[in-house]
Short mmCIF file of all heavy atoms in Angstrom, two decimals:
data_model
loop_
_atom_site.label_atom_id
_atom_site.label_comp_id
_atom_site.label_asym_id
_atom_site.label_seq_id
_atom_site.Cartn_x
_atom_site.Cartn_y
_atom_site.Cartn_z
N ILE J 300 -9.40 18.96 6.36
CA ILE J 300 -9.43 20.26 7.02
C ILE J 300 -8.55 20.21 8.26
O ILE J 300 -8.66 19.29 9.08
CB ILE J 300 -10.87 20.64 7.42
CG1 ILE J 300 -11.80 20.65 6.20
CG2 ILE J 300 -10.90 21.97 8.15
CD1 ILE J 300 -11.46 21.69 5.17
N ASN J 301 -7.66 21.18 8.39
CA ASN J 301 -6.85 21.29 9.60
C ASN J 301 -7.76 21.64 10.77
O ASN J 301 -8.38 22.70 10.77
CB ASN J 301 -5.78 22.37 9.41
CG ASN J 301 -4.81 22.46 10.57
OD1 ASN J 301 -5.19 22.31 11.73
ND2 ASN J 301 -3.55 22.71 10.26
N PRO J 302 -7.90 20.78 11.77
CA PRO J 302 -8.86 21.04 12.85
C PRO J 302 -8.44 22.17 13.79
O PRO J 302 -9.27 22.64 14.57
CB PRO J 302 -8.93 19.70 13.59
CG PRO J 302 -7.62 19.06 13.32
CD PRO J 302 -7.22 19.48 11.94
N THR J 303 -7.20 22.59 13.71
CA THR J 303 -6.73 23.70 14.55
C THR J 303 -7.03 25.05 13.90
O THR J 303 -7.45 25.99 14.58
CB THR J 303 -5.21 23.57 14.79
OG1 THR J 303 -4.94 22.29 15.36
CG2 THR J 303 -4.72 24.65 15.74
N THR J 304 -6.84 25.12 12.58
CA THR J 304 -7.04 26.40 11.88
C THR J 304 -8.35 26.46 11.11
O THR J 304 -8.74 27.54 10.66
CB THR J 304 -5.89 26.61 10.89
OG1 THR J 304 -5.95 25.59 9.86
CG2 THR J 304 -4.53 26.54 11.58
N GLU J 305 -8.99 25.29 10.91
CA GLU J 305 -10.21 25.15 10.10
C GLU J 305 -9.96 25.49 8.63
O GLU J 305 -10.90 25.78 7.89
CB GLU J 305 -11.35 26.00 10.67
CG GLU J 305 -11.71 25.67 12.11
CD GLU J 305 -12.94 26.41 12.61
OE1 GLU J 305 -13.92 26.51 11.85
OE2 GLU J 305 -12.91 26.89 13.77
N GLN J 306 -8.71 25.39 8.21
CA GLN J 306 -8.36 25.66 6.82
C GLN J 306 -8.12 24.36 6.06
O GLN J 306 -7.61 23.39 6.62
CB GLN J 306 -7.09 26.53 6.74
CG GLN J 306 -7.26 27.91 7.36
CD GLN J 306 -8.35 28.71 6.68
OE1 GLN J 306 -8.36 28.85 5.45
NE2 GLN J 306 -9.29 29.22 7.48
N PRO J 307 -8.48 24.33 4.74
CA PRO J 307 -8.24 23.11 3.94
C PRO J 307 -6.75 22.87 3.74
O PRO J 307 -5.95 23.81 3.71
CB PRO J 307 -8.96 23.42 2.62
CG PRO J 307 -9.06 24.90 2.56
CD PRO J 307 -9.15 25.38 3.97
N LEU J 308 -6.41 21.61 3.62
CA LEU J 308 -5.01 21.20 3.47
C LEU J 308 -4.67 20.75 2.05
O LEU J 308 -3.67 20.08 1.83
CB LEU J 308 -4.70 20.06 4.46
CG LEU J 308 -4.71 20.46 5.93
CD1 LEU J 308 -4.67 19.23 6.82
CD2 LEU J 308 -3.55 21.39 6.26
N GLY J 309 -5.49 21.11 1.09
CA GLY J 309 -5.24 20.70 -0.29
C GLY J 309 -6.11 19.53 -0.68
O GLY J 309 -6.76 18.90 0.16
N GLU J 310 -6.12 19.25 -1.96
CA GLU J 310 -7.00 18.20 -2.48
C GLU J 310 -6.20 16.94 -2.81
O GLU J 310 -5.11 17.00 -3.37
CB GLU J 310 -7.72 18.69 -3.74
CG GLU J 310 -8.76 17.71 -4.25
CD GLU J 310 -9.65 18.31 -5.32
OE1 GLU J 310 -9.44 19.48 -5.68
OE2 GLU J 310 -10.55 17.60 -5.79
N PHE J 311 -6.76 15.80 -2.44
CA PHE J 311 -6.17 14.49 -2.72
C PHE J 311 -7.15 13.73 -3.60
O PHE J 311 -8.22 13.31 -3.14
CB PHE J 311 -5.92 13.72 -1.43
CG PHE J 311 -4.86 14.29 -0.55
CD1 PHE J 311 -5.10 15.44 0.22
CD2 PHE J 311 -3.60 13.71 -0.48
CE1 PHE J 311 -4.12 15.97 1.04
CE2 PHE J 311 -2.61 14.24 0.34
CZ PHE J 311 -2.88 15.37 1.10
N PRO J 312 -6.84 13.55 -4.88
CA PRO J 312 -7.78 12.86 -5.77
C PRO J 312 -7.99 11.40 -5.34
O PRO J 312 -7.04 10.71 -4.96
CB PRO J 312 -7.10 12.92 -7.14
CG PRO J 312 -5.95 13.83 -7.00
CD PRO J 312 -5.62 13.96 -5.56
N GLU J 313 -9.23 10.95 -5.40
CA GLU J 313 -9.52 9.55 -5.11
C GLU J 313 -9.06 8.67 -6.26
O GLU J 313 -9.02 9.10 -7.42
CB GLU J 313 -11.02 9.36 -4.87
CG GLU J 313 -11.52 10.01 -3.61
CD GLU J 313 -12.97 9.64 -3.31
OE1 GLU J 313 -13.39 8.53 -3.68
OE2 GLU J 313 -13.67 10.46 -2.70
N HIS J 314 -8.73 7.43 -5.94
CA HIS J 314 -8.36 6.47 -6.98
C HIS J 314 -9.61 6.10 -7.79
O HIS J 314 -10.70 5.94 -7.23
CB HIS J 314 -7.74 5.22 -6.37
CG HIS J 314 -6.34 5.42 -5.88
ND1 HIS J 314 -5.99 5.46 -4.55
CD2 HIS J 314 -5.18 5.63 -6.56
CE1 HIS J 314 -4.69 5.65 -4.43
NE2 HIS J 314 -4.18 5.77 -5.63
N SER J 315 -9.42 5.97 -9.09
CA SER J 315 -10.51 5.58 -9.97
C SER J 315 -10.77 4.09 -9.86
O SER J 315 -9.97 3.34 -9.30
CB SER J 315 -10.16 5.93 -11.42
OG SER J 315 -9.08 5.13 -11.86
N SER J 316 -11.88 3.64 -10.42
CA SER J 316 -12.20 2.20 -10.42
C SER J 316 -11.10 1.41 -11.10
O SER J 316 -10.73 0.32 -10.65
CB SER J 316 -13.54 1.98 -11.11
OG SER J 316 -14.58 2.63 -10.43
N GLU J 317 -10.58 1.96 -12.18
CA GLU J 317 -9.51 1.27 -12.91
C GLU J 317 -8.24 1.17 -12.07
O GLU J 317 -7.56 0.14 -12.07
CB GLU J 317 -9.21 2.00 -14.24
CG GLU J 317 -10.33 1.95 -15.26
CD GLU J 317 -11.48 2.90 -14.93
OE1 GLU J 317 -11.30 3.81 -14.07
OE2 GLU J 317 -12.57 2.72 -15.52
N GLN J 318 -7.91 2.24 -11.36
CA GLN J 318 -6.73 2.22 -10.51
C GLN J 318 -6.89 1.23 -9.35
O GLN J 318 -5.93 0.56 -8.96
CB GLN J 318 -6.46 3.63 -9.96
CG GLN J 318 -5.94 4.60 -11.01
CD GLN J 318 -5.85 6.02 -10.46
OE1 GLN J 318 -6.78 6.51 -9.80
NE2 GLN J 318 -4.74 6.69 -10.74
N ILE J 319 -8.10 1.16 -8.82
CA ILE J 319 -8.35 0.20 -7.73
C ILE J 319 -8.14 -1.22 -8.22
O ILE J 319 -7.45 -2.03 -7.57
CB ILE J 319 -9.78 0.38 -7.19
CG1 ILE J 319 -9.92 1.74 -6.51
CG2 ILE J 319 -10.14 -0.73 -6.22
CD1 ILE J 319 -11.35 2.11 -6.17
N VAL J 320 -8.73 -1.55 -9.36
CA VAL J 320 -8.60 -2.91 -9.89
C VAL J 320 -7.14 -3.23 -10.17
O VAL J 320 -6.64 -4.32 -9.87
CB VAL J 320 -9.46 -3.07 -11.16
CG1 VAL J 320 -9.14 -4.39 -11.86
CG2 VAL J 320 -10.94 -2.99 -10.81
N SER J 321 -6.42 -2.27 -10.75
CA SER J 321 -5.00 -2.49 -11.05
C SER J 321 -4.20 -2.74 -9.78
O SER J 321 -3.35 -3.64 -9.73
CB SER J 321 -4.45 -1.27 -11.80
OG SER J 321 -3.06 -1.41 -12.02
N ALA J 322 -4.49 -1.96 -8.74
CA ALA J 322 -3.77 -2.14 -7.47
C ALA J 322 -4.07 -3.49 -6.84
O ALA J 322 -3.18 -4.15 -6.29
CB ALA J 322 -4.14 -1.01 -6.51
N LEU J 323 -5.31 -3.93 -6.93
CA LEU J 323 -5.68 -5.23 -6.37
C LEU J 323 -5.03 -6.38 -7.13
O LEU J 323 -4.62 -7.39 -6.54
CB LEU J 323 -7.19 -5.39 -6.34
CG LEU J 323 -7.93 -4.45 -5.36
CD1 LEU J 323 -9.44 -4.58 -5.52
CD2 LEU J 323 -7.52 -4.72 -3.91
N ARG J 324 -4.92 -6.23 -8.45
CA ARG J 324 -4.24 -7.27 -9.21
C ARG J 324 -2.76 -7.34 -8.84
O ARG J 324 -2.16 -8.41 -8.75
CB ARG J 324 -4.38 -7.00 -10.72
CG ARG J 324 -5.79 -7.04 -11.28
CD ARG J 324 -6.39 -8.46 -11.37
NE ARG J 324 -6.82 -8.99 -10.11
CZ ARG J 324 -7.93 -8.60 -9.45
NH1 ARG J 324 -8.72 -7.65 -9.95
NH2 ARG J 324 -8.27 -9.13 -8.31
N GLN J 325 -2.17 -6.16 -8.61
CA GLN J 325 -0.76 -6.14 -8.20
C GLN J 325 -0.59 -6.77 -6.82
O GLN J 325 0.38 -7.51 -6.58
CB GLN J 325 -0.23 -4.71 -8.20
CG GLN J 325 1.27 -4.64 -7.90
CD GLN J 325 1.80 -3.22 -7.88
OE1 GLN J 325 1.23 -2.35 -7.25
NE2 GLN J 325 2.90 -2.98 -8.58
N ALA J 326 -1.51 -6.48 -5.91
CA ALA J 326 -1.44 -7.09 -4.57
C ALA J 326 -1.57 -8.60 -4.67
O ALA J 326 -0.86 -9.35 -3.97
CB ALA J 326 -2.54 -6.51 -3.68
N GLU J 327 -2.48 -9.06 -5.51
CA GLU J 327 -2.69 -10.50 -5.69
C GLU J 327 -1.42 -11.16 -6.21
O GLU J 327 -1.01 -12.23 -5.73
CB GLU J 327 -3.84 -10.69 -6.68
CG GLU J 327 -4.40 -12.08 -6.77
CD GLU J 327 -5.65 -12.10 -7.63
OE1 GLU J 327 -5.74 -11.33 -8.60
OE2 GLU J 327 -6.53 -12.91 -7.32
N LYS J 328 -0.79 -10.51 -7.17
CA LYS J 328 0.46 -11.05 -7.73
C LYS J 328 1.58 -11.03 -6.70
O LYS J 328 2.35 -11.99 -6.56
CB LYS J 328 0.86 -10.24 -8.97
CG LYS J 328 2.13 -10.72 -9.65
CD LYS J 328 2.44 -9.85 -10.87
CE LYS J 328 3.73 -10.29 -11.54
NZ LYS J 328 4.06 -9.40 -12.71
N ALA J 329 1.65 -9.93 -5.95
CA ALA J 329 2.72 -9.80 -4.95
C ALA J 329 2.60 -10.87 -3.87
O ALA J 329 3.62 -11.37 -3.37
CB ALA J 329 2.66 -8.41 -4.31
N PHE J 330 1.38 -11.23 -3.51
CA PHE J 330 1.19 -12.23 -2.46
C PHE J 330 1.86 -13.56 -2.81
O PHE J 330 2.49 -14.19 -1.95
CB PHE J 330 -0.30 -12.45 -2.20
CG PHE J 330 -0.58 -13.65 -1.33
CD1 PHE J 330 -0.15 -13.69 -0.02
CD2 PHE J 330 -1.26 -14.75 -1.84
CE1 PHE J 330 -0.40 -14.81 0.78
CE2 PHE J 330 -1.51 -15.86 -1.06
CZ PHE J 330 -1.08 -15.89 0.25
N HIS J 331 1.74 -13.99 -4.04
CA HIS J 331 2.28 -15.29 -4.42
C HIS J 331 3.80 -15.34 -4.30
O HIS J 331 4.38 -16.42 -4.10
CB HIS J 331 1.82 -15.64 -5.84
CG HIS J 331 0.33 -15.83 -5.94
ND1 HIS J 331 -0.33 -16.82 -5.28
CD2 HIS J 331 -0.62 -15.12 -6.60
CE1 HIS J 331 -1.63 -16.75 -5.52
NE2 HIS J 331 -1.83 -15.72 -6.32
N THR J 332 4.44 -14.19 -4.39
CA THR J 332 5.89 -14.13 -4.19
C THR J 332 6.23 -13.91 -2.73
O THR J 332 7.12 -14.56 -2.16
CB THR J 332 6.50 -13.00 -5.05
OG1 THR J 332 6.19 -13.23 -6.42
CG2 THR J 332 8.01 -12.94 -4.87
N TRP J 333 5.50 -12.97 -2.10
CA TRP J 333 5.79 -12.61 -0.71
C TRP J 333 5.61 -13.79 0.24
O TRP J 333 6.41 -13.96 1.17
CB TRP J 333 4.91 -11.44 -0.29
CG TRP J 333 5.14 -10.93 1.09
CD1 TRP J 333 4.29 -11.01 2.15
CD2 TRP J 333 6.30 -10.24 1.57
NE1 TRP J 333 4.84 -10.41 3.26
CE2 TRP J 333 6.08 -9.94 2.94
CE3 TRP J 333 7.51 -9.86 0.98
CZ2 TRP J 333 7.02 -9.26 3.71
CZ3 TRP J 333 8.45 -9.20 1.76
CH2 TRP J 333 8.21 -8.91 3.10
N ARG J 334 4.61 -14.61 0.01
CA ARG J 334 4.37 -15.73 0.92
C ARG J 334 5.52 -16.72 0.91
O ARG J 334 5.71 -17.47 1.88
CB ARG J 334 3.07 -16.44 0.56
CG ARG J 334 3.08 -17.16 -0.78
CD ARG J 334 1.83 -18.00 -0.97
NE ARG J 334 1.75 -19.02 0.07
CZ ARG J 334 0.69 -19.78 0.30
NH1 ARG J 334 -0.41 -19.63 -0.43
NH2 ARG J 334 0.70 -20.70 1.25
N LEU J 335 6.29 -16.76 -0.19
CA LEU J 335 7.43 -17.68 -0.30
C LEU J 335 8.73 -17.04 0.17
O LEU J 335 9.76 -17.73 0.22
CB LEU J 335 7.57 -18.15 -1.75
CG LEU J 335 6.35 -18.90 -2.34
CD1 LEU J 335 6.59 -19.23 -3.80
CD2 LEU J 335 6.05 -20.15 -1.54
N THR J 336 8.69 -15.75 0.49
CA THR J 336 9.88 -15.08 0.97
C THR J 336 10.23 -15.60 2.37
O THR J 336 9.35 -15.63 3.24
CB THR J 336 9.64 -13.56 1.04
OG1 THR J 336 9.28 -13.08 -0.26
CG2 THR J 336 10.88 -12.82 1.52
N PRO J 337 11.46 -16.05 2.60
CA PRO J 337 11.80 -16.58 3.93
C PRO J 337 11.50 -15.56 5.02
O PRO J 337 11.66 -14.35 4.85
CB PRO J 337 13.31 -16.84 3.81
CG PRO J 337 13.54 -17.03 2.35
CD PRO J 337 12.58 -16.12 1.66
N ILE J 338 11.07 -16.06 6.16
CA ILE J 338 10.64 -15.16 7.23
C ILE J 338 11.79 -14.30 7.74
O ILE J 338 11.58 -13.15 8.16
CB ILE J 338 9.96 -15.95 8.37
CG1 ILE J 338 9.16 -14.99 9.26
CG2 ILE J 338 10.97 -16.76 9.16
CD1 ILE J 338 8.18 -15.66 10.17
N ALA J 339 13.00 -14.81 7.66
CA ALA J 339 14.15 -13.99 8.09
C ALA J 339 14.31 -12.79 7.17
O ALA J 339 14.68 -11.69 7.62
CB ALA J 339 15.42 -14.83 8.08
N GLU J 340 14.02 -12.97 5.89
CA GLU J 340 14.11 -11.86 4.95
C GLU J 340 12.95 -10.88 5.19
O GLU J 340 13.14 -9.65 5.14
CB GLU J 340 14.08 -12.37 3.51
CG GLU J 340 14.39 -11.30 2.49
CD GLU J 340 14.53 -11.87 1.08
OE1 GLU J 340 14.71 -13.09 0.94
OE2 GLU J 340 14.44 -11.06 0.13
N ARG J 341 11.76 -11.39 5.45
CA ARG J 341 10.64 -10.51 5.79
C ARG J 341 11.00 -9.66 7.01
O ARG J 341 10.67 -8.48 7.09
CB ARG J 341 9.38 -11.33 6.10
CG ARG J 341 8.74 -12.02 4.93
CD ARG J 341 7.47 -12.73 5.40
NE ARG J 341 7.32 -14.02 4.74
CZ ARG J 341 6.64 -15.05 5.22
NH1 ARG J 341 6.05 -14.95 6.41
NH2 ARG J 341 6.54 -16.17 4.54
N ALA J 342 11.65 -10.28 7.98
CA ALA J 342 12.03 -9.57 9.20
C ALA J 342 12.99 -8.43 8.89
O ALA J 342 12.91 -7.35 9.50
CB ALA J 342 12.65 -10.54 10.20
N ARG J 343 13.91 -8.63 7.95
CA ARG J 343 14.83 -7.56 7.60
C ARG J 343 14.08 -6.37 7.00
O ARG J 343 14.38 -5.21 7.30
CB ARG J 343 15.91 -8.07 6.65
CG ARG J 343 16.96 -8.95 7.33
CD ARG J 343 18.15 -9.20 6.44
NE ARG J 343 17.83 -10.12 5.35
CZ ARG J 343 17.93 -11.45 5.43
NH1 ARG J 343 18.30 -12.02 6.57
NH2 ARG J 343 17.64 -12.21 4.39
N PHE J 344 13.11 -6.65 6.14
CA PHE J 344 12.29 -5.57 5.59
C PHE J 344 11.55 -4.83 6.71
O PHE J 344 11.48 -3.61 6.72
CB PHE J 344 11.26 -6.14 4.60
CG PHE J 344 11.82 -6.51 3.26
CD1 PHE J 344 11.78 -7.83 2.82
CD2 PHE J 344 12.35 -5.55 2.42
CE1 PHE J 344 12.28 -8.19 1.58
CE2 PHE J 344 12.85 -5.90 1.17
CZ PHE J 344 12.82 -7.22 0.75
N MET J 345 11.00 -5.60 7.66
CA MET J 345 10.21 -4.98 8.72
C MET J 345 11.10 -4.15 9.65
O MET J 345 10.68 -3.07 10.11
CB MET J 345 9.46 -6.07 9.51
CG MET J 345 8.37 -5.52 10.41
SD MET J 345 7.07 -4.61 9.53
CE MET J 345 6.28 -5.95 8.61
N GLN J 346 12.30 -4.62 9.92
CA GLN J 346 13.22 -3.82 10.72
C GLN J 346 13.57 -2.51 10.01
O GLN J 346 13.67 -1.45 10.65
CB GLN J 346 14.49 -4.61 11.01
CG GLN J 346 14.29 -5.73 12.03
CD GLN J 346 15.53 -6.60 12.16
OE1 GLN J 346 16.20 -6.91 11.18
NE2 GLN J 346 15.83 -6.98 13.39
N ARG J 347 13.71 -2.58 8.69
CA ARG J 347 13.99 -1.35 7.92
C ARG J 347 12.80 -0.40 8.00
O ARG J 347 12.98 0.82 8.06
CB ARG J 347 14.33 -1.69 6.47
CG ARG J 347 15.74 -2.25 6.29
CD ARG J 347 16.25 -2.09 4.88
NE ARG J 347 15.55 -2.93 3.92
CZ ARG J 347 15.91 -4.15 3.57
NH1 ARG J 347 16.99 -4.69 4.13
NH2 ARG J 347 15.23 -4.84 2.68
#
């Protein structure tokens, strides 16, 4: 709800249980690669 106008701002569907599990598996997989990414390369991503 927009607190200035008290009007709704549209609906945002919640993620389902299946979508949550899928996202967590992707995060788990991403970690094993990201942790090995050189810190200088991580810094370039963060600057971007």
Side-chain angles (χ1 to χ4, degrees):
I300 302 296
N301 185 322
T303 305
T304 65
E305 302 186 42
Q306 296 300 308
L308 292 169
E310 186 169 1
F311 292 76
E313 292 188 30
H314 285 109
S315 67
S316 298
E317 293 76 15
Q318 288 173 315
I319 294 169
V320 170
S321 176
L323 292 174
R324 296 288 76 74
Q325 185 180 48
E327 193 172 34
K328 181 180 178 182
F330 169 65
H331 295 297
T332 302
W333 182 247
R334 67 172 298 170
L335 300 176
T336 302
I338 196 164
E340 189 173 343
R341 290 183 219 155
R343 285 192 288 272
F344 283 117
M345 194 60 68
Q346 287 173 320
R347 284 202 291 269

